[in-house]
Amino acid sequence: MAKWGSCDFKELEKLTRKLEKMANFDVQTFCQEVARELAARLLAKVIKRTPVGEGTFEIVEKDGKQKKYKIKNGGTLRRGWTANTQAEAEGGKVPSAKDYANSLKIFKMGNNYIIIVKNPVEYSSYVEFGHRQEPGRYVAAIGKRLVNSWVTGKFMLTISEKELESQLPKIIERKLTKFMEECFNNGY
């Protein structure tokens, strides 16, 4: 009978222990982290694409010859992506896209993890998808008469979603590779 020799199974035992630890890995936490990262990336893209309107001046009081003005800054729609209310967006103090994404609630439906990204500013859907208007009507806020019957939407969220969707496999693969490296190099 032939002699087979000796074999050291220490490395194979280490691999077995690492694989056992990976089997106990919390998949739900991993999926939630990925969902939050994707939400932050979506917000970063859509915020860049959101148009910023010019500021406006509103007359607060008209007392004889004196008028008091209130300056209303543009950018309410852009700030709305990380605001909880329209008033918060108008106020100007909103968190960063990453901080806001981390604060969003994650819903699990079946095997899907869902984060709802929305803009609470009342006219956001009109800017996104477009809207009708009455040609010839005078609009005092802009000091002009309307010319076109349809204003084309900017599709800032739609375009950002499609762009992120095309990058999705690479992002998830990178995140999973990083996790696997941590498991095997750091002993998990």
Side-chain angles (χ1 to χ4, degrees):
M1 196 179 254
K3 185 175 180 183
W4 285 87
S6 63
C7 187
D8 186 15
F9 291 102
K10 288 180 185 174
E11 290 298 317
L12 200 53
E13 289 170 355
K14 276 186 189 177
L15 179 63
T16 304
R17 282 193 298 273
K18 287 180 181 182
L19 289 174
E20 285 173 356
K21 286 181 181 178
M22 281 182 64
N24 296 331
F25 166 64
D26 187 9
V27 177
Q28 185 169 346
T29 303
F30 178 77
C31 290
Q32 288 177 349
E33 285 177 16
V34 170
R36 288 190 195 287
E37 182 178 333
L38 292 174
R41 285 175 181 256
L42 177 65
L43 285 167
K45 289 177 183 299
V46 76
I47 287 170
K48 271 194 253 178
R49 282 193 173 89
T50 303
V52 176
E54 300 172 15
T56 58
F57 296 94
E58 296 177 11
I59 299 173
V60 178
E61 282 183 28
K62 191 174 180 181
D63 190 26
K65 292 182 179 180
Q66 290 184 328
K67 294 180 184 177
K68 292 185 180 178
Y69 296 97
K70 175 182 164 190
I71 300 172
K72 188 175 179 184
N73 292 330
T76 300
L77 184 61
R78 183 176 278 185
R79 288 187 301 272
W81 291 111
T82 56
N84 292 317
T85 63
Q86 181 166 338
E88 192 177 302
E90 289 171 350
K93 296 282 185 180
V94 292
S96 70
K98 188 173 183 177
D99 292 339
Y100 183 72
N102 287 333
S103 72
L104 291 173
K105 187 173 181 180
I106 299 175
F107 301 98
K108 185 178 180 198
M109 297 179 105
N111 291 330
N112 299 320
Y113 290 84
I114 300 168
I115 292 182
I116 298 173
V117 175
K118 63 181 180 179
N119 193 325
V121 178
E122 63 186 349
Y123 54 87
S124 62
S125 64
Y126 299 115
V127 177
E128 173 73 15
F129 300 112
H131 60 90
R132 291 189 310 176
Q133 61 186 14
E134 187 181 323
R137 193 183 94 202
Y138 180 76
V139 180
I142 60 175
K144 297 179 183 177
R145 292 196 178 280
L146 300 177
V147 178
N148 299 324
S149 62
W150 179 258
V151 176
T152 306
K154 300 295 182 187
F155 300 103
M156 57 257 178
L157 182 60
T158 306
I159 293 169
S160 298
E161 281 179 31
K162 287 181 182 177
E163 188 178 291
L164 186 64
E165 196 172 316
S166 69
Q167 297 170 350
L168 195 64
K170 287 181 182 177
I171 294 169
I172 293 174
E173 184 180 341
R174 237 182 279 129
K175 196 101 168 133
L176 196 54
T177 303
K178 184 180 175 188
F179 165 72
M180 297 285 281
E181 285 174 358
E182 286 176 11
C183 284
F184 285 105
N185 295 337
N186 300 334
Y188 188 75

